Amino acid sequence: QVQLVESGGGLVQPGGSLRLSCAASGSILSFSVMGWYRQAPGKQRELVADISRGGSTNYADSVKGRFIISRDAAKNTVWLQMNSLKPEDTAVYYCNAASIFIERRDNYWGQGTQVAVSS
């Protein structure tokens, strides 16, 4: 059973920074990709950033230049450094681990961590 545990959320003022952590119960390199998604009230869950097994990164346009996804395979941890935060970044952030096959994608999710950006 895969377990993903997020931490690092909280309340921050606009322009501030937060770093989210996602600790996996197993090797993060066993997954095709690991990423961060977010869901704001009344909105669909959306991809924020992800990193492939090979190290390629992908960002939503809304966070490019402000957020950085990184990982440490030895620690089985993925981080999301969030800078220049805006009120519209307010959401529950979820860690995702995915195994991608030709016929399907197996997703694993953490419990989520709340990020609130407000003055």
Side-chain angles (χ1 to χ4, degrees):
Q1 181 72 11
V2 178
Q3 289 188 325
L4 303 172
V5 180
E6 301 105 331
S7 60
L11 174 64
V12 63
Q13 292 186 340
S17 297
L18 282 175
R19 189 174 81 154
L20 305 183
S21 298
C22 172
S25 58
S27 172
I28 60 175
L29 296 182
S30 67
F31 300 105
S32 305
V33 62
M34 293 201 66
W36 290 94
Y37 288 71
R38 67 187 181 187
Q39 188 167 18
K43 294 187 177 181
Q44 290 188 330
R45 191 173 296 189
E46 63 177 359
L47 174 68
V48 177
D50 61 25
I51 183 166
S52 71
R53 181 186 291 125
S56 299
T57 57
N58 177 48
Y59 295 92
D61 288 343
S62 60
V63 307
K64 283 181 181 177
R66 299 189 297 124
F67 291 11
I68 300 171
I69 188 169
S70 61
R71 70 182 182 193
D72 185 332
K75 296 181 179 179
N76 292 324
T77 300
V78 177
W79 295 278
L80 183 68
Q81 178 67 42
M82 305 187 294
N83 301 318
S84 302
L85 283 160
K86 303 176 181 180
E88 51 263 44
D89 295 318
T90 295
V92 178
Y93 284 69
Y94 297 91
C95 181
N96 169 266
S99 296
I100 300 173
F101 306 94
I102 294 175
E103 70 280 9
R104 75 179 193 274
R105 172 178 171 137
D106 293 339
N107 285 299
Y108 304 91
W109 297 95
Q111 81 285 356
T113 185
Q114 177 73 53
V115 171
V117 184
S118 175
S119 54

